[in-house]
Amino acid sequence: MLDRNVIEKIADIVDEAQSSARAIAKITDAYPTMTVDDGYGVQDVLLRRWLERGREFYGYKAGLTSRAKMVQMGVDVPAFGLMMRDTCDPDGGTIPTAGLIHPRVEAEIAFVMSRDLAGPEVSIEEIYDATDYVQPAIEIIDSRFENFRFDLPSVVADNCSSARLVMGGRPRRPREVDLATLGCVLEINGDPVDFAASGAILGHPAHVIQLLVSWLHGRGQVLKAGTVVLAGAMTAAHAIKPGDAICARFQDMGSINVKVS
Ligand code: OOG
Ligand code: MG
C-alpha cells in the first residue's frame, strides 16, 4: 500500500487533470507499485474533496463489466467509480463536452435502490426487493489518460473515467422485464454504431449489484436506499463530438435522446 501522502499527491494529479481537461500519463508510470486498493484510496480522497466543495454524491458506476468493454480497454476485471449529482444531464437535453478530453458514449442500465443492501452475499431476489426501478442510461466517459490507455490501478484512481450520465427512457420495476435479455441499439447521428443485450453485463446486470454490495461490505459500507448504480456498458464505448445526436434504444424500456455540445 502506498503512503497516505502519496495517495493525496495522486489525488492532486487526477483532480488537476480532471479540472483542466489535460491528458496525463497513467499513474503507474510514476508509481509502479500502486495497487488497485491504492486506486480506491485515491477515490476516497477525491470524494472527500468533492463533498467539501459542496458537490452531492449520486451513486456508483461499475465499469469493465462486459466482454465488449474488457476487450476494448484491455482490462478484464470490473471496477467501481463514484458519480456526483452535478454530472447528470436530462434526457432530451444537451451534454456539454467542452471540459472533457476525448469523450465516448456507452449504453447502460441503471438500478435505483429503495432499500439498503448489505452483507457479503446478497441474492438476486433480495436485490429485486431492494430495487425501486431499473432504467435506461447512457454514460459519457472521459479517461484522463493519454489515448485512453491505462491499467486497473490507474483507471480506478481516475474514478473509472466517470464524466457525465443521462438517465432516461422508461423506468421499469425489475421483475417487469427480463433483465438478462434486454436488447439495445446505440445510434450516433442516425447510424446504428453498436448493438448489445443486457446479458452482456456479467451474464445478468443484477450480478453487478451483488459484486458492488460485497465489495462495499469488504470496506465496511452498505449500498444505501436512494443510491443510483450504473451497471456498466453492454456495448463498447464510441467517440462523440459537439454537434452529434445520440440515441440509445432499449427493448421494453424506451429510448434516450441527447445532443452533444
Ligand atoms: C473505464 C470505464 C468503463 C464501463 O461502463 O465499462 C465504463 C473506461 O473504459 O475508460 O464506464
Ligand atoms: Mg460506463
Side-chain angles (χ1 to χ4, degrees):
M1 284 291 278
L2 293 175
D3 186 277
R4 281 307 316 157
N5 298 333
V6 181
I7 298 284
E8 291 277 347
K9 174 87 203 325
I10 296 171
D12 291 343
I13 295 169
V14 172
D15 208 357
E16 166 63 22
Q18 289 180 348
S19 47
S20 67
R22 262 200 300 273
I24 55 174
K26 65 178 167 22
I27 308 290
T28 45
D29 287 357
Y31 300 94
T33 61
M34 182 190 185
T35 62
V36 175
D37 278 347
D38 290 327
Y40 286 114
V42 174
Q43 284 189 18
D44 291 339
V45 172
L46 291 172
L47 179 63
R48 194 196 69 219
R49 293 182 186 182
W50 293 338
L51 295 173
E52 279 165 12
R53 289 175 203 158
R55 299 179 70 188
E56 195 186 330
F57 177 69
Y58 186 64
Y60 299 96
K61 59 161 287 180
L64 309 164
T65 52
S66 67
R67 181 63 42 201
K69 282 293 304 183
M70 292 182 189
V71 168
Q72 183 178 32
M73 305 319 296
V75 177
D76 60 4
V77 178
F80 299 108
L82 308 160
M83 301 188 297
M84 307 307 281
R85 188 174 289 278
D86 53 277
T87 64
C88 298
D89 297 305
D91 189 3
T94 300
I95 299 176
T97 57
L100 306 182
I101 302 165
H102 36 206
R104 294 178 176 177
V105 64
E106 302 175 329
E108 307 224 2
I109 289 177
F111 286 71
V112 180
M113 311 315 296
S114 55
R115 289 193 212 157
D116 291 3
L117 276 175
E121 214 178 293
V122 290
S123 69
I124 300 287
E125 292 306 313
E126 285 174 296
I127 290 169
Y128 283 178
D129 289 343
T131 301
D132 198 0
Y133 50 90
V134 290
Q135 183 174 6
I138 61 171
E139 186 184 24
I140 308 300
I141 54 168
D142 186 39
S143 177
R144 269 52 69 165
F145 303 122
E146 289 150 359
N147 305 314
F148 255 96
R149 295 176 77 112
F150 49 67
D151 47 25
L152 191 58
S154 299
V155 70
V156 168
D158 185 28
N159 195 26
C160 285
S161 312
S162 169
R164 305 204 69 82
L165 76 143
V166 176
M167 305 275 285
R170 262 183 298 131
R172 303 293 302 268
R173 299 265 180 223
R175 291 187 175 92
E176 277 176 10
V177 284
D178 180 1
L179 267 182
T181 64
L182 291 169
C184 172
V185 181
L186 179 64
E187 298 175 7
I188 301 180
N189 302 324
D191 294 329
V193 294
D194 221 325
F195 310 83
S198 53
I201 304 163
L202 297 182
H204 191 299
H207 290 150
V208 171
I209 307 295
Q210 281 181 316
L211 212 58
L212 175 62
V213 173
S214 83
W215 176 77
L216 287 170
H217 178 75
R219 311 184 95 220
Q221 297 172 9
V222 306
L223 179 59
K224 295 220 181 78
T227 305
V228 175
V229 183
L230 284 192
M234 41 182 138
T235 62
H238 295 267
I240 54 168
K241 55 180 188 321
D244 283 348
I246 300 170
C247 175
R249 300 178 193 279
F250 291 79
Q251 179 187 356
D252 297 338
M253 296 174 93
S255 48
I256 296 181
N257 286 277
V258 282
K259 286 270 193 197
V260 182
S261 72

PDB file of all heavy atoms in Angstrom, residues 94-114:
ATOM      1  N   THR A  94     -28.935  18.417 -23.621  1.00  0.00           N
ATOM      2  CA  THR A  94     -27.627  18.537 -24.265  1.00  0.00           C
ATOM      3  C   THR A  94     -26.537  18.165 -23.264  1.00  0.00           C
ATOM      4  O   THR A  94     -26.605  18.540 -22.097  1.00  0.00           O
ATOM      5  CB  THR A  94     -27.428  19.994 -24.729  1.00  0.00           C
ATOM      6  OG1 THR A  94     -28.478  20.296 -25.646  1.00  0.00           O
ATOM      7  CG2 THR A  94     -26.106  20.192 -25.432  1.00  0.00           C
ATOM      8  N   ILE A  95     -25.548  17.424 -23.760  1.00  0.00           N
ATOM      9  CA  ILE A  95     -24.408  17.057 -22.915  1.00  0.00           C
ATOM     10  C   ILE A  95     -23.248  17.990 -23.236  1.00  0.00           C
ATOM     11  O   ILE A  95     -22.747  17.989 -24.366  1.00  0.00           O
ATOM     12  CB  ILE A  95     -23.975  15.604 -23.180  1.00  0.00           C
ATOM     13  CG1 ILE A  95     -25.124  14.649 -22.846  1.00  0.00           C
ATOM     14  CG2 ILE A  95     -22.735  15.256 -22.386  1.00  0.00           C
ATOM     15  CD1 ILE A  95     -24.826  13.215 -23.176  1.00  0.00           C
ATOM     16  N   PRO A  96     -22.808  18.782 -22.259  1.00  0.00           N
ATOM     17  CA  PRO A  96     -21.667  19.668 -22.525  1.00  0.00           C
ATOM     18  C   PRO A  96     -20.358  18.884 -22.472  1.00  0.00           C
ATOM     19  O   PRO A  96     -20.114  18.150 -21.529  1.00  0.00           O
ATOM     20  CB  PRO A  96     -21.742  20.681 -21.368  1.00  0.00           C
ATOM     21  CG  PRO A  96     -22.434  19.957 -20.264  1.00  0.00           C
ATOM     22  CD  PRO A  96     -23.305  18.898 -20.878  1.00  0.00           C
ATOM     23  N   THR A  97     -19.517  19.021 -23.501  1.00  0.00           N
ATOM     24  CA  THR A  97     -18.259  18.269 -23.521  1.00  0.00           C
ATOM     25  C   THR A  97     -17.031  19.186 -23.573  1.00  0.00           C
ATOM     26  O   THR A  97     -15.911  18.696 -23.750  1.00  0.00           O
ATOM     27  CB  THR A  97     -18.205  17.289 -24.722  1.00  0.00           C
ATOM     28  OG1 THR A  97     -18.373  18.028 -25.929  1.00  0.00           O
ATOM     29  CG2 THR A  97     -19.280  16.238 -24.616  1.00  0.00           C
ATOM     30  N   ALA A  98     -17.251  20.503 -23.415  1.00  0.00           N
ATOM     31  CA  ALA A  98     -16.127  21.456 -23.509  1.00  0.00           C
ATOM     32  C   ALA A  98     -15.047  21.141 -22.470  1.00  0.00           C
ATOM     33  O   ALA A  98     -13.868  21.316 -22.734  1.00  0.00           O
ATOM     34  CB  ALA A  98     -16.631  22.877 -23.318  1.00  0.00           C
ATOM     35  N   GLY A  99     -15.441  20.657 -21.288  1.00  0.00           N
ATOM     36  CA  GLY A  99     -14.466  20.367 -20.237  1.00  0.00           C
ATOM     37  C   GLY A  99     -13.908  18.951 -20.300  1.00  0.00           C
ATOM     38  O   GLY A  99     -13.278  18.497 -19.347  1.00  0.00           O
ATOM     39  N   LEU A 100     -14.148  18.257 -21.395  1.00  0.00           N
ATOM     40  CA  LEU A 100     -13.703  16.864 -21.485  1.00  0.00           C
ATOM     41  C   LEU A 100     -12.577  16.709 -22.515  1.00  0.00           C
ATOM     42  O   LEU A 100     -12.420  17.549 -23.405  1.00  0.00           O
ATOM     43  CB  LEU A 100     -14.892  15.959 -21.843  1.00  0.00           C
ATOM     44  CG  LEU A 100     -16.118  16.086 -20.918  1.00  0.00           C
ATOM     45  CD1 LEU A 100     -17.202  15.099 -21.337  1.00  0.00           C
ATOM     46  CD2 LEU A 100     -15.741  15.857 -19.456  1.00  0.00           C
ATOM     47  N   ILE A 101     -11.795  15.652 -22.383  1.00  0.00           N
ATOM     48  CA  ILE A 101     -10.600  15.464 -23.221  1.00  0.00           C
ATOM     49  C   ILE A 101     -10.938  14.691 -24.506  1.00  0.00           C
ATOM     50  O   ILE A 101     -10.705  15.167 -25.603  1.00  0.00           O
ATOM     51  CB  ILE A 101      -9.501  14.717 -22.424  1.00  0.00           C
ATOM     52  CG1 ILE A 101      -9.151  15.506 -21.148  1.00  0.00           C
ATOM     53  CG2 ILE A 101      -8.261  14.515 -23.288  1.00  0.00           C
ATOM     54  CD1 ILE A 101      -8.353  14.714 -20.115  1.00  0.00           C
ATOM     55  N   HIS A 102     -11.484  13.495 -24.355  1.00  0.00           N
ATOM     56  CA  HIS A 102     -11.812  12.642 -25.510  1.00  0.00           C
ATOM     57  C   HIS A 102     -13.040  11.795 -25.145  1.00  0.00           C
ATOM     58  O   HIS A 102     -12.922  10.577 -24.940  1.00  0.00           O
ATOM     59  CB  HIS A 102     -10.638  11.771 -25.958  1.00  0.00           C
ATOM     60  CG  HIS A 102      -9.778  11.256 -24.830  1.00  0.00           C
ATOM     61  ND1 HIS A 102      -8.460  10.918 -24.975  1.00  0.00           N
ATOM     62  CD2 HIS A 102     -10.073  11.025 -23.508  1.00  0.00           C
ATOM     63  CE1 HIS A 102      -7.978  10.518 -23.800  1.00  0.00           C
ATOM     64  NE2 HIS A 102      -8.942  10.567 -22.912  1.00  0.00           N
ATOM     65  N   PRO A 103     -14.214  12.458 -25.072  1.00  0.00           N
ATOM     66  CA  PRO A 103     -15.410  11.766 -24.570  1.00  0.00           C
ATOM     67  C   PRO A 103     -15.882  10.620 -25.467  1.00  0.00           C
ATOM     68  O   PRO A 103     -15.747  10.675 -26.683  1.00  0.00           O
ATOM     69  CB  PRO A 103     -16.458  12.884 -24.532  1.00  0.00           C
ATOM     70  CG  PRO A 103     -15.965  13.933 -25.463  1.00  0.00           C
ATOM     71  CD  PRO A 103     -14.466  13.858 -25.426  1.00  0.00           C
ATOM     72  N   ARG A 104     -16.432   9.605 -24.795  1.00  0.00           N
ATOM     73  CA  ARG A 104     -17.023   8.462 -25.503  1.00  0.00           C
ATOM     74  C   ARG A 104     -18.362   8.151 -24.843  1.00  0.00           C
ATOM     75  O   ARG A 104     -18.526   8.362 -23.640  1.00  0.00           O
ATOM     76  CB  ARG A 104     -16.134   7.216 -25.370  1.00  0.00           C
ATOM     77  CG  ARG A 104     -14.787   7.322 -26.062  1.00  0.00           C
ATOM     78  CD  ARG A 104     -13.978   6.051 -25.830  1.00  0.00           C
ATOM     79  NE  ARG A 104     -12.725   6.084 -26.559  1.00  0.00           N
ATOM     80  CZ  ARG A 104     -11.787   5.132 -26.493  1.00  0.00           C
ATOM     81  NH1 ARG A 104     -11.970   4.070 -25.715  1.00  0.00           N
ATOM     82  NH2 ARG A 104     -10.683   5.213 -27.194  1.00  0.00           N
ATOM     83  N   VAL A 105     -19.294   7.602 -25.637  1.00  0.00           N
ATOM     84  CA  VAL A 105     -20.618   7.268 -25.092  1.00  0.00           C
ATOM     85  C   VAL A 105     -20.777   5.755 -24.945  1.00  0.00           C
ATOM     86  O   VAL A 105     -20.259   4.986 -25.752  1.00  0.00           O
ATOM     87  CB  VAL A 105     -21.746   7.858 -25.979  1.00  0.00           C
ATOM     88  CG1 VAL A 105     -21.730   7.240 -27.380  1.00  0.00           C
ATOM     89  CG2 VAL A 105     -23.116   7.667 -25.326  1.00  0.00           C
ATOM     90  N   GLU A 106     -21.502   5.357 -23.916  1.00  0.00           N
ATOM     91  CA  GLU A 106     -21.804   3.947 -23.649  1.00  0.00           C
ATOM     92  C   GLU A 106     -23.291   3.803 -23.305  1.00  0.00           C
ATOM     93  O   GLU A 106     -23.853   4.682 -22.664  1.00  0.00           O
ATOM     94  CB  GLU A 106     -21.028   3.456 -22.425  1.00  0.00           C
ATOM     95  CG  GLU A 106     -19.540   3.580 -22.524  1.00  0.00           C
ATOM     96  CD  GLU A 106     -18.832   3.179 -21.229  1.00  0.00           C
ATOM     97  OE1 GLU A 106     -19.396   3.360 -20.141  1.00  0.00           O
ATOM     98  OE2 GLU A 106     -17.710   2.680 -21.333  1.00  0.00           O
ATOM     99  N   ALA A 107     -23.882   2.681 -23.704  1.00  0.00           N
ATOM    100  CA  ALA A 107     -25.266   2.379 -23.324  1.00  0.00           C
ATOM    101  C   ALA A 107     -25.260   1.514 -22.069  1.00  0.00           C
ATOM    102  O   ALA A 107     -24.534   0.523 -21.991  1.00  0.00           O
ATOM    103  CB  ALA A 107     -25.960   1.645 -24.462  1.00  0.00           C
ATOM    104  N   GLU A 108     -26.068   1.881 -21.092  1.00  0.00           N
ATOM    105  CA  GLU A 108     -26.024   1.206 -19.795  1.00  0.00           C
ATOM    106  C   GLU A 108     -27.437   0.984 -19.225  1.00  0.00           C
ATOM    107  O   GLU A 108     -28.409   1.563 -19.715  1.00  0.00           O
ATOM    108  CB  GLU A 108     -25.227   2.058 -18.787  1.00  0.00           C
ATOM    109  CG  GLU A 108     -23.843   2.453 -19.307  1.00  0.00           C
ATOM    110  CD  GLU A 108     -22.747   2.288 -18.289  1.00  0.00           C
ATOM    111  OE1 GLU A 108     -23.028   1.831 -17.163  1.00  0.00           O
ATOM    112  OE2 GLU A 108     -21.589   2.611 -18.623  1.00  0.00           O
ATOM    113  N   ILE A 109     -27.497   0.223 -18.170  1.00  0.00           N
ATOM    114  CA  ILE A 109     -28.738   0.083 -17.402  1.00  0.00           C
ATOM    115  C   ILE A 109     -28.451   0.530 -15.978  1.00  0.00           C
ATOM    116  O   ILE A 109     -27.404   0.175 -15.417  1.00  0.00           O
ATOM    117  CB  ILE A 109     -29.255  -1.366 -17.431  1.00  0.00           C
ATOM    118  CG1 ILE A 109     -29.790  -1.665 -18.839  1.00  0.00           C
ATOM    119  CG2 ILE A 109     -30.342  -1.607 -16.378  1.00  0.00           C
ATOM    120  CD1 ILE A 109     -30.264  -3.061 -19.039  1.00  0.00           C
ATOM    121  N   ALA A 110     -29.355   1.333 -15.418  1.00  0.00           N
ATOM    122  CA  ALA A 110     -29.175   1.837 -14.056  1.00  0.00           C
ATOM    123  C   ALA A 110     -30.145   1.144 -13.115  1.00  0.00           C
ATOM    124  O   ALA A 110     -31.278   0.814 -13.484  1.00  0.00           O
ATOM    125  CB  ALA A 110     -29.421   3.343 -14.031  1.00  0.00           C
ATOM    126  N   PHE A 111     -29.695   0.916 -11.884  1.00  0.00           N
ATOM    127  CA  PHE A 111     -30.545   0.441 -10.791  1.00  0.00           C
ATOM    128  C   PHE A 111     -30.720   1.598  -9.819  1.00  0.00           C
ATOM    129  O   PHE A 111     -29.745   2.255  -9.455  1.00  0.00           O
ATOM    130  CB  PHE A 111     -29.878  -0.717 -10.036  1.00  0.00           C
ATOM    131  CG  PHE A 111     -29.870  -2.022 -10.780  1.00  0.00           C
ATOM    132  CD1 PHE A 111     -29.058  -2.201 -11.896  1.00  0.00           C
ATOM    133  CD2 PHE A 111     -30.660  -3.086 -10.355  1.00  0.00           C
ATOM    134  CE1 PHE A 111     -29.047  -3.417 -12.579  1.00  0.00           C
ATOM    135  CE2 PHE A 111     -30.656  -4.304 -11.029  1.00  0.00           C
ATOM    136  CZ  PHE A 111     -29.845  -4.467 -12.151  1.00  0.00           C
ATOM    137  N   VAL A 112     -31.956   1.838  -9.401  1.00  0.00           N
ATOM    138  CA  VAL A 112     -32.197   2.863  -8.389  1.00  0.00           C
ATOM    139  C   VAL A 112     -32.752   2.143  -7.156  1.00  0.00           C
ATOM    140  O   VAL A 112     -33.791   1.479  -7.228  1.00  0.00           O
ATOM    141  CB  VAL A 112     -33.169   3.949  -8.912  1.00  0.00           C
ATOM    142  CG1 VAL A 112     -33.407   5.002  -7.837  1.00  0.00           C
ATOM    143  CG2 VAL A 112     -32.600   4.590 -10.171  1.00  0.00           C
ATOM    144  N   MET A 113     -32.033   2.231  -6.059  1.00  0.00           N
ATOM    145  CA  MET A 113     -32.316   1.412  -4.887  1.00  0.00           C
ATOM    146  C   MET A 113     -33.364   2.064  -3.968  1.00  0.00           C
ATOM    147  O   MET A 113     -33.366   3.275  -3.772  1.00  0.00           O
ATOM    148  CB  MET A 113     -31.033   1.158  -4.091  1.00  0.00           C
ATOM    149  CG  MET A 113     -29.837   0.676  -4.921  1.00  0.00           C
ATOM    150  SD  MET A 113     -30.209  -0.627  -6.125  1.00  0.00           S
ATOM    151  CE  MET A 113     -30.696  -1.967  -5.015  1.00  0.00           C
ATOM    152  N   SER A 114     -34.245   1.223  -3.417  1.00  0.00           N
ATOM    153  CA  SER A 114     -35.261   1.733  -2.487  1.00  0.00           C
ATOM    154  C   SER A 114     -35.012   1.264  -1.059  1.00  0.00           C
ATOM    155  O   SER A 114     -35.640   1.732  -0.126  1.00  0.00           O
ATOM    156  CB  SER A 114     -36.659   1.289  -2.927  1.00  0.00           C
ATOM    157  OG  SER A 114     -36.689  -0.103  -3.062  1.00  0.00           O
TER     158      SER A 114
END
